[in-house]
Amino acid sequence: MNDRLTELYKGVAVHATANYEHTAALELLALVMAADHNLDEAEIGAIKDITDDWRDGDFTFDKYLGPAVERAQQAIADGEVVELIDDIDRRISSRVLRRALFSAAREVAGIDDDVSPEEGTILAEVAVRFG
């Protein structure tokens, strides 16, 4: 998985754009993780592994994960999951990243060998938009 995602940002020319898209992608993965209302260590580990190649001096996992999880949990609590996915969709322009997001989201959802109905609903939305 990391090798595929390593290739994602070779086409992103501007560092700021990459961070902007990384943040959106991390929010999507956090949304999948938070969908079942359980922040599982295996899911956090999967997200950390997926985003490993993104991290450099400006994009640190700990700095961005907390806000991404908070935003995902708030969207779930407010019934605004589709609206959050709309926002994420608008912020990611890299075609390579868009194609890889479903696979990454599916990896996070399935890491615990149990894809909840809520995770399945989000995966279906991700497949339609990013698949």
Side-chain angles (χ1 to χ4, degrees), residues 26 32 86 91 98 115:
L26 183 59
V32 172
D86 286 343
R91 291 186 288 151
R98 292 179 70 81
V115 176

Side-chain angles (χ1 to χ4, degrees), residues 16-76:
T17 301
N19 274 345
Y20 186 70
E21 291 190 348
H22 287 152
T23 301
L26 183 59
E27 287 173 5
L28 182 67
L29 298 179
L31 182 62
V32 172
M33 177 178 66
D36 63 2
H37 305 284
N38 180 26
L39 303 180
D40 185 90
E41 286 297 320
E43 291 172 327
I44 292 170
I47 293 172
K48 190 171 187 172
D49 289 345
I50 290 167
T51 63
D52 187 47
D53 293 324
W54 301 352
R55 288 181 260 133
D56 58 19
D58 293 329
F59 193 91
T60 60
F61 184 73
D62 295 333
K63 177 180 174 182
Y64 289 93
L65 181 64
V69 170
E70 286 177 25
R71 185 153 192 231
Q73 289 175 321
Q74 192 64 53
I76 291 166

